[in-house]
Amino acid sequence: RQQRDELGKLLLHIRGLPPALPALPLELTVLYNSLLFTVGASDSAIKREAEGIRQGLLRVLEACGACGEDLGTEELWQKVLQEVTVEELQAPLHRLGALQAAWWLAAGRLGSVAGLFQLLSTAEEPGRSHCSEGQNKLLSLIKAWQVPLEGASLPLAQSAKDLKEILCTTAAFLQGLQELEAGNFPTALSLLQEAAGGFCSKKVLAQIYTCLGCCAQQMGKPQTALQHLKRALQVDFQCLPALSHAAAVYHELGETDVELQALTLLYEALGKNPPAAASSSPHFLMQTELLVHTPVLTSLLRQHHPSEVKYLLAQRCLQDGRVADAVEHYLDFLSLLQEGLQQQVPLDGSSAVPRIPEVFLEAASALEQAGRQRDAITMCEEVISRTADLIPRVLRVEERLEQPECSSPGAELAGGLLSQKKESLCCLAWRAAGYLHQGWAWAKLGESKEAVTQFSRCLSDLLRLHLHGSGVKPTENLLAEVEVLQKIRFLSLIGRGTQFLELGKHKEALLDFQYSLQISPGDPAATSYLVQALWKLNRKQEAAAQWQKLSQSSPGEDGQQQGQGRPLPLYLVSCLEQAMFPHSEPLARSIQDYLGTAAQDTS
């Protein structure tokens, strides 16, 4: 900072005099060093326009008897490099051109950089082409630039040779990120590999390897992705996004043990105070990390908050059936919630954490599967009580509730109404799911009457939903929410029907199973329960007919029926498993005996 200030004062003194050709090499060198120290003293300096360069170029033109006040920066460079032929000015102008390229790279103006290096190369060797077929034009132009010799009498804060290497690395990195964002993965891989072999700090190298890992994963090469991500951590163990991406790759490969180990390491690392940053030896004033700031890189390197990782651990354990571990992680997460998690987790959709009511329901599911039914009931009561005032008495979903064009009047109002309706549907789903979980929890406790009460409350809540339209099919904007509500209705009917069977209320059970088949025709679980209810009501002929129909359906058809629609929310998966019909050998044998007897009577 002191050197920056001193050079700034010197430059002001020089510019207080009229520009003179003999003094311009010194002035341009002082300007070059001053800009480098400005960047070294403040990272944000590179984000501002390098106005000093423009003033320097105008003084060069003034000394040569020309002017360019009305020209843009690109046109000004073109005029200077084409019209100023003084030999002593070529080296300082080229060095200043390299600095201008750094500023433009930081601003993402890759075309401007290519044009500038085309001018610099043309000034050296007019008429020569510097890009062969298949090569990257910008990289070829930068590499072809002949670094000017450094005079012994004019020391430089950073050599032009080092600056050229940094420009090459930055150009490859930036273009690799552009291609990655555009989905051109082979090109992105090539450019990122070029950047990885360039001149940069350990921190940037780890970032490049992380991007290579993400690119390989997008190309369907998980093992290659893991190699790059491990390399990133070897280069800079503080590059925690690499560990996060590695966990995602292990998840993709189905290697749950290793995935959970990676997430645990990540959680522990995030909880520690970070040590000193990885060395960027040797240290330079202009560095690659100052020049690469793109949204795609920010997204790829987004640092998870410890609470997000804790949630991922809970979620993965629940998905894998490790309910004891899942319970522990969910309860840890909920304790973090009480410490002000809302301020810690981003709300822009980038977080892995779903809406908080869903987390409560997932925790209830884990508790229920772990045999802690009463704790699950308490957890669900929290969701039910907090959503009570958020749902309208009647919730209508029209068949065609489409948003008008953005340019039409009322578009903003219609979008707001749609968003409000979607939110109401979500609240209704969470509340109904709370009752659904409570019903199954009471059933497991052997309290069939209380279970029937909770299932009935769930179904009563769902009566608020009214579908309007000839096909009663909601618009695509709300289809996912309505499908979840229909699945909850189906599971609740199955649940209540099973408890009616336990209570000996076979007629009521039969009605529930019939209603459930209206929601999901041909569902094997609902059909099996229907057969059981009919059999208990001594309607053996109907039961046998349904059983034969079910037996004749292929396993593929059953699986297809169950797999229809979107994936279920995680908090409903355990309810779906509980609704599966337990295989009953005595029932099957009784029906087969009945069919055999009926066949003999017929013959």
Side-chain angles (χ1 to χ4, degrees):
R1 190 172 283 108
Q2 182 182 353
Q3 290 166 314
R4 176 200 62 186
D5 295 342
E6 289 177 358
L7 282 169
K9 291 176 183 177
L10 176 58
L11 194 60
L12 284 174
H13 285 307
I14 294 173
R15 285 182 172 171
L17 302 171
L21 282 175
L24 277 175
L26 173 62
E27 180 179 338
L28 295 180
T29 302
V30 171
L31 173 59
Y32 174 87
N33 287 337
S34 175
L35 288 169
L36 282 171
F37 279 117
T38 299
V39 170
S42 172
D43 293 352
S44 62
I46 196 72
K47 298 175 185 177
R48 300 190 292 269
E49 187 65 33
E51 187 59 35
I53 295 179
R54 178 179 178 80
Q55 293 177 12
L57 295 178
L58 289 173
R59 282 177 65 82
V60 169
L61 287 177
E62 186 181 348
C64 296
C67 65
E69 289 283 357
D70 56 340
L71 299 176
T73 306
E74 290 184 53
E75 292 81 6
L76 189 58
W77 269 109
Q78 185 174 357
K79 183 177 180 67
V80 168
L81 292 173
Q82 288 178 347
E83 296 184 12
V84 177
T85 57
V86 179
E87 184 64 29
E88 291 78 12
L89 289 178
Q90 297 308 304
L93 280 173
H94 275 240
R95 285 193 289 267
L96 206 57
L99 265 190
Q100 178 70 77
W103 250 269
W104 279 343
L105 283 175
R109 295 175 57 180
L110 304 188
S112 299
V113 177
L116 178 57
F117 276 102
Q118 184 78 59
L119 287 170
L120 291 170
S121 301
T122 303
E124 293 166 351
E125 300 178 74
R128 178 185 168 187
S129 173
H130 298 281
C131 183
S132 304
E133 187 177 351
Q135 289 184 321
N136 182 273
K137 180 181 177 182
L138 177 56
L139 286 177
S140 298
L141 286 168
I142 297 175
K143 290 177 180 178
W145 173 53
Q146 298 293 320
V147 178
L149 296 174
E150 297 181 16
S153 59
L154 297 174
L156 302 175
Q158 186 171 334
S159 73
K161 180 183 177 183
D162 291 338
L163 186 55
K164 176 182 175 179
E165 295 291 338
I166 288 168
L167 293 177
C168 281
T169 303
T170 302
F173 195 7
L174 284 171
Q175 290 180 102
L177 290 170
Q178 282 185 346
E179 298 295 338
L180 182 59
E181 188 175 23
N184 302 323
F185 302 123
T187 307
L189 197 69
S190 175
L191 286 162
L192 290 170
Q193 285 171 337
E194 174 88 21
F199 200 61
C200 61
S201 66
K202 289 181 180 180
K203 178 182 176 182
V204 171
L205 183 57
Q207 293 177 358
I208 295 171
Y209 276 120
T210 301
C211 295
L212 277 166
C214 295
C215 185
Q217 184 183 11
Q218 293 285 339
M219 294 173 74
K221 298 178 178 180
Q223 296 299 338
T224 305
L226 287 173
Q227 289 176 8
H228 289 308
L229 295 169
K230 288 176 182 177
R231 181 75 179 120
L233 289 166
Q234 288 169 355
V235 170
D236 181 7
F237 63 90
Q238 295 175 56
C239 188
L240 297 184
L243 190 55
S244 175
H245 286 295
V249 176
Y250 284 125
H251 178 68
E252 183 183 304
L253 290 170
E255 297 184 20
T256 307
D257 288 337
V258 191
E259 178 197 2
L260 292 175
Q261 287 176 17
L263 288 173
T264 302
L265 283 172
L266 180 59
Y267 180 74
E268 291 172 354
L270 288 169
K272 296 176 182 176
N273 292 324
S279 171
S280 41
S281 175
H283 179 75
F284 295 108
L285 297 169
M286 182 68 75
Q287 303 176 66
T288 304
E289 44 261 67
L290 298 177
L291 308 180
V292 183
H293 296 283
T294 66
V296 63
L297 182 64
T298 302
S299 174
L300 291 173
L301 299 178
R302 189 180 80 82
Q303 193 94 302
H304 284 293
H305 189 273
S307 55
E308 293 179 80
V309 183
K310 177 57 73 174
Y311 170 76
L312 281 174
L313 279 165
Q315 181 197 60
R316 298 292 188 257
C317 286
L318 182 59
Q319 288 172 331
D320 197 54
R322 307 179 189 214
V323 292
D325 292 336
V327 166
E328 182 183 344
H329 290 309
Y330 273 116
L331 294 180
D332 287 345
F333 176 84
L334 292 175
S335 69
L336 289 171
L337 182 66
Q338 293 178 337
E339 296 170 10
L341 177 64
Q342 292 91 335
Q343 286 76 42
Q344 300 167 355
V345 177
L347 301 176
D348 57 1
S350 62
S351 170
V353 181
R355 301 287 295 276
I356 297 304
E358 293 191 28
V359 179
F360 271 79
L361 291 169
E362 289 174 16
S365 176
L367 287 164
E368 191 182 336
Q369 292 176 70
R372 297 170 59 175
Q373 277 77 25
R374 294 191 183 277
D375 289 335
I377 290 167
T378 303
M379 190 74 69
C380 290
E381 195 58 44
E382 186 76 13
V383 176
I384 292 167
S385 62
R386 287 178 180 268
T387 53
D389 299 328
L390 302 178
I391 309 168
R393 285 187 173 275
V394 177
L395 190 52
R396 290 186 174 85
V397 177
E398 290 77 11
E399 185 179 7
R400 298 185 179 219
L401 182 66
E402 297 179 0
Q403 297 186 68
E405 295 294 326
C406 291
S407 57
S408 65
E412 187 176 341
L413 177 62
L417 290 172
L418 183 64
S419 176
Q420 185 179 358
K421 188 152 291 190
K422 186 187 284 280
E423 182 70 8
S424 296
L425 288 171
C426 287
C427 290
L428 179 58
W430 298 329
R431 181 178 167 86
Y435 284 130
L436 177 65
H437 274 288
Q438 286 186 333
W440 284 114
W442 283 115
K444 281 188 175 181
L445 288 170
E447 301 284 348
S448 294
K449 287 185 178 179
E450 188 62 40
V452 166
T453 300
Q454 300 309 317
F455 286 130
S456 298
R457 285 174 176 169
C458 173
L459 292 166
S460 176
D461 251 16
L462 291 172
L463 290 176
R464 303 185 191 203
L465 179 64
H466 289 261
L467 297 175
H468 289 265
S470 57
V472 290
K473 183 178 180 181
T475 176
E476 186 65 29
N477 292 315
L478 301 174
L479 189 56
E481 288 76 17
V482 172
E483 282 184 0
V484 168
L485 287 166
Q486 291 289 68
K487 184 58 88 172
I488 292 173
R489 189 197 303 270
F490 169 80
L491 293 171
S492 197
L493 284 166
I494 294 286
R496 190 172 70 171
T498 62
Q499 297 312 297
F500 277 140
L501 286 177
E502 289 289 329
L503 294 168
K505 298 183 177 182
H506 301 145
K507 289 183 180 179
E508 291 87 341
L510 178 64
L511 281 173
D512 277 350
F513 298 140
Q514 287 173 333
Y515 287 140
S516 69
L517 283 167
Q518 290 177 13
I519 297 171
S520 183
D523 183 88
T527 306
S528 299
Y529 279 119
L530 180 73
V531 169
Q532 187 180 33
L534 287 167
W535 191 261
K536 286 181 179 292
L537 287 166
N538 206 29
R539 294 163 61 174
K540 295 184 178 180
Q541 187 175 355
E542 294 174 69
Q546 289 288 346
W547 186 83
Q548 281 183 308
K549 184 180 177 182
L550 180 64
S551 301
Q552 289 166 3
S553 65
S554 66
E557 290 176 6
D558 292 349
Q560 185 180 4
Q561 180 68 29
Q562 291 180 39
Q564 286 180 350
R566 294 167 173 78
L568 274 182
L570 181 57
Y571 62 83
L572 286 182
V573 172
S574 64
C575 295
L576 183 64
E577 291 170 352
Q578 292 177 92
M580 291 293 103
F581 183 77
H583 179 66
S584 176
E585 191 67 39
L587 177 62
R589 192 181 305 114
S590 298
I591 294 175
Q592 286 172 340
D593 291 344
Y594 171 81
L595 289 171
T597 303
Q600 288 177 0
D601 291 346
T602 303
S603 63

